[in-house]
Each structure stands twice: as structure tokens, then as C-alpha cells.
């Protein structure tokens, strides 16, 4: 295997919201295949992909075809020579060297390509084999002893503007060190989802992600540009593009977030009948990164069933997925599971299930000091002049009488509404008692007056009777 040493780690870490020195990320990529045999794929599979890629064109230059299939020139020469020998394609000169050869399908080749497309319309990068994917997943796992991990100083810097309680910050840091599952619970608006996303951004290192995976004769589309984000250019400076397998993409560790839309069907492979390929489930796409389940308790799967579905495969590092016909295949499963809920954990999970969650962290109301600091920080971000007297009015005249806890989401939400009203009036936003009260009314009018303790009271956060779905849990 060829190790691409990725430099400028501090630049990459800064993009992820991190400060200070950190371990240099290293991604191990497979070497570029020079022959069909080295791809791990059958020649017939590559013939089919090449024919489909050539079907809509007249003449296709050799380098263009190699780029479409993400294969080396050497492999494509071998494939195209076989197509010419089998009278599926013809070659013509388009320049002075063999790199200028242009290929087009014969009538027989077009007929074969049409049949291929009728069965499976996938004509993208050549897939990697499942054993190759499993090997790479194992090497880049965060559970490996040498995997880069965030330190206390970097953690403190990353959460400095969130004004979290020091104990919560320490627990979050410990959970990242362990790569064990994490449950964030607390009232709505306490900033749990934001913290979960930030934890995902603090993951260290880069991962190799395949565009597609071949299982038996089926193709699983895997790479998603919305999930598998590229590293910074600086982080890629040490990568030798000509020496690595282009069927893989170098990415930041993924953060896959699912919410109330998660259903039982989404936990397995989904066959795309229009294109003849399988779509990877969310937890498979999270391999090497983080899987965030937001609003736990509102999915179409009971929380305990969802945890049981994932916990044992996570411990084993292997999951069983189903392909057409009921056949089971074993795939790698290596992700940090983060559960986020507004509900009291005992109302969702029994003791046995709770023991299988690595860390349980309550995210509640801020202290008055931290709330003031966060309000001041949000004023600075939105370029609104802070006023201590107005901030005091917010706490003593608005929060206290209403019994509303000092939740992390309130400062930005209130200041954002002040900006909305100012923008509508065509004036610059100003923090005054009048504009603050206008924002407060627009935010809380019609809501239940008063609010119980932020330490997860029975209602309204945990009242299952208002949700028919939760009544069945």
C-alpha cells in the first residue's frame, strides 16, 4: 500500500474549527492498479462499464474514458484492446501518440451497451471490491491505537464560544477520545444538535472513500458529495495523484445526520430500480466518521430497537445487509454513534439499553454568567452593539417572570429576530429594550407561559401522550 502523507495539518484543523497544534492526518490509499487483474474486477465488468460510458458519444479519447472510469491508462488499454478484439469497438487516430487514440462502439458494441444499460444504468467510476473496502476501513478506524485524537487544549478552544460548563466540555472530550457511543439529552433549545455537529467537525484525520462498491455482481453507490467533503488543498499537497487508486476519494471524516424521518427501511440497502444499483444506508456511509441520530424518540423505529440494531454490529465492526432475494452480506461498520434527544432517557431506554451507551451527557440551561457571555458573543457576531442594561432586562424582566431557563439557542434567535425587524424597516439593527421585547413576543407568543426546570421535567418535554407515535414506544 502507498501512504500519502498529508501535510499542512494545522490549516486543515483550522477549517474544522480547531485551534492549536494537532496530530498530522495520514490517509492510506490503495496503489493505482496497472492491470485489470490488479483492480480486483473481472474483465467482463470493465467491458460493460466502458461500453456504457461510450454509448452516448461518437468518439471517445482514451484519457477521457480512463477519467470517467477512474482507471489508469494501462488498465483502459487492456479493456479497450479486448473490446476491439471482440469487435465491440474500433479505434482511430486523433493525434501523434497512442494517448490520442479515439474509440467508438461498433453496431454490435452499441447493441451490447443498450442491453447493459437496460439491466443497470450505472456508468460511473469503476467500483472497488468489498474486501478492499473492508481493509481500508480497518486501517483508518478511529479505534486504531495510532489514530489522531483531539487534546484538551484544542477541545477547550473549539468550545470557547459556546460557554459550556467545564464538566460538560470534559465529558465531550472524553467521549471523542473513546469513540464510544454518546447520548446528549436535555430540553429543546439547549444546543444539543449544535454540539453534536461540532463534535463531528472535530474528528481528526482524513479517510479514503470509494465511489462505488461491488458485492457479487451488484453495485452499491457509496460516495455522496454532501456527506463526503473534500479536504483543504493544503491538506492534499502531499498526495501523489498518479500513484493512488482514483476509484477512491480522499475526504474529511464524514458526519451523517438522520432525524425523525429515519425508518426501518432506511437501515438496509435500498435498490434503485430505475438505475439498477443499491443505495448505501446512512450508517454505512458514516463509516470512518460519526453517525448522529437527532430527535431520538421521534423516528419510525423504537429507540431501543434502533440501539439494538446498531450496538452489536458496532462492537463487532461488521453489519449484515440484505440484497435482492434475501441474501445477506457482511459489510464494515465503524462509526461513532451520537444520540440526541429532548426526552428523559429512562422514558426511551431501559437500564439494559442505557448500559450499552458509552457516555450519557446532560445539556441543560447555562449559568447566568455564561448566558451573559454568550449573548455578548452573539451580538459581536451579528455586529450589534451590546448594551449591559438591555442584557440585564432580558434576564430580570423577561426570563425570570416567564420562568424560561437560560438556554443556549435563545441569544442568537432573539438577536436574529431583531435583525429581521430592522431589515424589514430598512434600518440598522439596534439592541434596545423595545426591540428586544418585540423579538421576545414574536418568539414566545402562544407558547406555554412558564417553563419547568431544565433538568428534564415530566412536561412538556417528556409528555408522550401528545405524540401518538411515542405512545407506542
Amino acid at each position: 500500500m502507498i501512504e500519502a502523507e498529508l501535510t499542512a495539518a494545522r490549516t486543515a484543523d483550522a477549517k474544522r474549527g480547531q485551534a492549536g497544534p494537532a496530530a498530522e492526518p495520514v490517509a492510506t490509499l490503495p496503489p493505482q492498479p496497472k492491470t485489470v487483474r490488479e483492480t480486483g474486477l473481472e474483465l467482463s465488468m470493465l467491458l460493460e462499464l466502458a461500453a456504457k460510458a461510450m454509448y452516448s458519444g461518437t468518439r471517445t479519447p482514451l484519457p477521457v474514458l480512463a477519467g470517467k472510469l477512474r482507471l489508469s491508462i494501462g488498465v483502459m488499454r487492456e479493456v479497450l484492446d479486448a473490446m476491439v478484439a471482440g469487435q465491440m469497438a474500433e479505434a482511430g487516430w486523433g493525434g501523434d501518440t497512442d494517448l490520442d487514440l479515439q474509440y467508438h462502439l461498433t453496431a454490435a458494441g452499441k447493441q451490447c451497451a443498450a442491453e447493459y444499460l437496460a439491466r443497470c444504468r450505472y456508468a460511473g467510476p469503476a467500483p472497488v471490491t468489498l474486501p478492499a473496502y473492508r481493509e481500508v476501513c480497518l486501517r483508518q478506524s478511529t479505534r486504531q491505537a495510532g489514530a489522531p485524537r483531539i487534546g484538551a487544549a484544542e477541545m477547550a478552544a473549539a468550545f470557547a464560544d459556546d460557554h459550556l460548563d467545564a464538566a460538560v466540555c470534559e465529558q465531550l472530550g472524553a467521549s471523542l477520545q473513546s469513540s464510544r457511543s454518546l447520548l446528549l439529552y436535555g430540553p429543546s433549545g439547549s444546543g444539543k444538535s449544535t454540539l453534536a455537529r461540532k463534535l463531528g467537525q472535530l474528528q481528526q484525520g482524513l479517510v479514503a472513500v470509494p465511489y462505488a462498491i461491488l458485492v457479487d455482481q451488484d453495485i452499491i453507490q457509496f460516495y455522496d458529495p454532501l456527506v463526503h467533503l473534500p479536504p483543504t488543498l493544503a491538506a492534499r499537497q502531499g498526495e501523489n495523484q498518479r500513484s493512488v487508486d482514483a476509484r477512491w476519494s480522499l475526504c474529511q471524516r464524514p458526519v451523517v445526520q438522520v432525524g425523525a424521518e429515519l425508518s426501518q427501511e432506511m437501515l438496509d440497502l435500498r435498490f434503485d430500480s430505475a438505475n439498477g444499483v443499491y443505495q448505501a444506508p446512512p450508517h454505512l456511509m458514516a463509516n470512518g466518521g460519526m453517525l448522529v441520530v437527532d430527535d431520538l424518540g421521534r423516528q419510525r423505529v423504537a429507540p431501543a430497537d434502533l440501539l439494538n440494531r446498531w450496538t452489536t454490529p458496532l462492537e463487532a465492526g461488521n453489519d449484515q445487509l440484505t440484497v435482492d432475494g434475501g441474501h445477506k452480506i457482511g459489510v464494515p461498520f465503524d462509526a461513532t454513534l451520537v444520540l440526541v434527544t429532548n426526552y428523559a432517557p429512562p422514558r426511551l431506554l431501559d437500564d439494559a439499553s442505557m448500559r450499552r451507551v458509552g457516555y450519557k451527557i446532560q445539556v441543560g440551561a447555562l449559568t447566568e454568567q455564561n448566558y451573559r457571555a454568550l449573548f455578548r458573543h452573539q451580538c459581536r457576531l451579528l455586529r450589534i452593539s451590546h448594551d449591559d442594561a438591555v442584557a440585564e432586562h432580558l434576564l430580570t424582566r423577561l426570563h425570570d417572570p416567564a420562568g424560561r431557563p437560560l438556554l443556549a439557542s435563545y441569544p442568537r434567535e432573539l438577536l436574529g429576530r431583531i435583525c429581521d425587524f430592522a431589515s424589514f424597516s430598512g434600518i440598522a439593527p439596534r439592541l434596545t429594550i423595545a426591540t428586544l421585547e418585540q423579538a421576545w413576543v414574536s418568539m414566545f407568543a402562544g407558547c406555554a407561559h412558564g417553563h419547568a426546570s431544565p433538568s428534564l421535567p415530566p412536561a412538556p418535554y417528556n409528555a408522550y401522550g401528545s405524540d401518538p407515535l411515542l405512545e407506542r414506544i
Side-chain angles (χ1 to χ4, degrees):
M1 292 305 191
I2 296 176
E3 292 196 354
E5 299 294 335
L6 305 175
T7 58
R10 292 186 183 181
T11 303
D13 290 337
K15 183 182 179 183
R16 284 183 170 272
Q18 209 173 313
E24 183 176 273
V26 177
T28 304
L29 299 174
Q32 183 187 68
K34 298 295 194 298
T35 66
V36 168
R37 182 177 181 181
E38 290 178 0
T39 67
L41 304 173
E42 297 291 338
L43 177 61
S44 58
M45 162 67 71
L46 297 178
L47 289 175
E48 178 176 330
L49 287 173
K52 289 188 288 188
M54 297 166 63
Y55 183 71
S56 59
T58 52
R59 290 182 177 273
T60 307
L62 173 59
V64 171
L65 193 56
K68 286 183 177 179
L69 270 60
R70 302 271 176 166
L71 296 171
S72 68
I73 295 293
V75 172
M76 286 312 306
R77 282 198 186 105
E78 193 175 341
V79 173
L80 289 166
D81 286 348
M83 294 180 72
V84 171
Q87 299 184 342
M88 289 182 63
E90 294 178 345
W93 289 99
D96 298 329
T97 70
D98 60 350
L99 288 178
D100 298 316
L101 279 173
Q102 297 184 353
Y103 293 83
H104 68 274
L105 295 176
T106 62
K110 287 185 177 180
Q111 182 177 350
C112 288
E115 293 173 357
Y116 295 149
L117 287 166
R119 183 172 67 246
C120 173
R121 299 194 64 82
Y122 182 82
V128 305
T129 63
L130 184 57
Y133 176 60
R134 184 177 287 111
E135 181 182 350
V136 170
C137 281
L138 181 62
R139 272 203 315 272
Q140 61 196 18
S141 171
T142 58
R143 291 171 173 80
Q144 294 286 3
R149 303 182 189 282
I150 190 170
E154 292 81 20
M155 190 76 177
F159 286 101
D161 293 334
D162 296 280
H163 302 282
L164 290 175
D165 184 81
V168 172
C169 193
E170 288 180 359
Q171 292 180 69
L172 292 172
S175 71
L176 276 184
Q177 289 287 323
S178 71
S179 296
R180 299 174 67 192
S181 57
L182 165 66
L183 173 66
L184 296 175
Y185 66 97
S188 177
S190 58
K192 304 178 300 299
S193 298
T194 300
L195 290 181
R197 287 192 293 271
K198 181 167 283 191
L199 288 175
Q201 294 168 357
L202 292 176
Q203 296 178 108
Q204 304 290 290
L206 303 174
V207 292
V209 176
Y211 287 94
I213 304 171
L214 182 68
V215 179
D216 296 330
Q217 295 302 311
D218 295 311
I219 291 177
I220 301 174
Q221 279 194 310
F222 192 84
Y223 174 82
D224 184 340
L226 298 179
V227 171
H228 302 115
L229 304 178
T232 62
L233 289 176
R236 301 197 66 158
Q237 285 178 356
E239 180 190 4
N240 185 348
Q241 292 286 342
R242 295 184 178 181
S243 68
V244 298
D245 193 339
R247 295 177 296 169
W248 300 79
S249 178
L250 198 62
C251 304
Q252 302 175 40
R253 290 193 182 274
V255 181
V256 178
Q257 182 170 331
V258 294
E261 78 284 355
L262 186 65
S263 63
Q264 190 71 44
E265 293 74 22
M266 294 173 63
L267 302 179
D268 213 328
L269 292 169
R270 289 166 289 164
F271 186 67
D272 181 354
S273 57
N275 294 305
V277 296
Y278 286 93
Q279 301 293 335
H283 66 281
L284 182 61
M285 295 175 65
N287 271 343
M290 184 173 290
L291 175 63
V292 178
V293 181
D294 207 358
D295 277 337
L296 181 68
R298 296 192 180 278
Q299 287 73 32
R300 302 173 191 177
V301 186
D305 292 342
L306 190 61
L307 194 62
N308 290 335
R309 169 67 179 83
W310 281 334
T311 301
T312 299
L314 271 175
E315 293 171 351
N318 188 73
D319 190 26
Q320 295 291 318
L321 299 179
T322 308
V323 295
D324 195 30
H327 177 61
K328 294 283 186 179
I329 59 170
V331 298
F333 186 21
D334 177 65
T336 300
L337 179 62
V338 178
L339 308 170
V340 181
T341 185
N342 298 336
Y343 294 93
R347 303 290 293 273
L348 299 179
L349 302 169
D350 58 21
D351 288 345
S353 297
M354 286 291 289
R355 282 195 298 270
R356 305 183 79 175
V357 178
Y359 282 81
K360 282 77 72 174
I361 302 177
Q362 182 175 6
V363 183
L366 299 176
T367 64
E368 183 176 315
Q369 179 181 356
N370 286 346
Y371 190 82
R372 290 177 184 272
L374 180 60
F375 189 80
R376 185 179 295 106
H377 175 68
Q378 291 296 339
C379 283
R380 185 164 57 252
L381 289 180
L382 295 174
R383 299 182 179 180
I384 299 176
S385 296
H386 181 267
D387 188 315
D388 288 335
V390 178
E392 182 68 23
H393 181 85
L394 171 62
L395 270 70
T396 60
R397 299 296 183 180
L398 296 178
H399 272 288
D400 285 351
R404 292 201 174 274
L406 306 179
L407 300 180
S409 64
Y410 289 167
R412 185 172 184 85
E413 181 66 28
L414 289 168
L415 293 168
R417 289 165 184 261
I418 290 175
C419 291
D420 293 340
F421 282 112
S423 177
F424 176 72
S425 300
I427 59 176
R430 291 182 58 220
L431 179 61
T432 66
I433 290 177
T435 59
L436 180 64
E437 290 188 342
Q438 183 183 42
W440 181 276
V441 170
S442 73
M443 187 170 173
F444 295 115
C447 297
H449 192 72
H451 206 296
S453 166
S455 58
L456 288 184
Y461 312 121
N462 308 319
Y464 283 24
S466 61
D467 191 329
L469 173 63
L470 292 174
E471 290 177 350
R472 299 197 294 272
I473 296 177

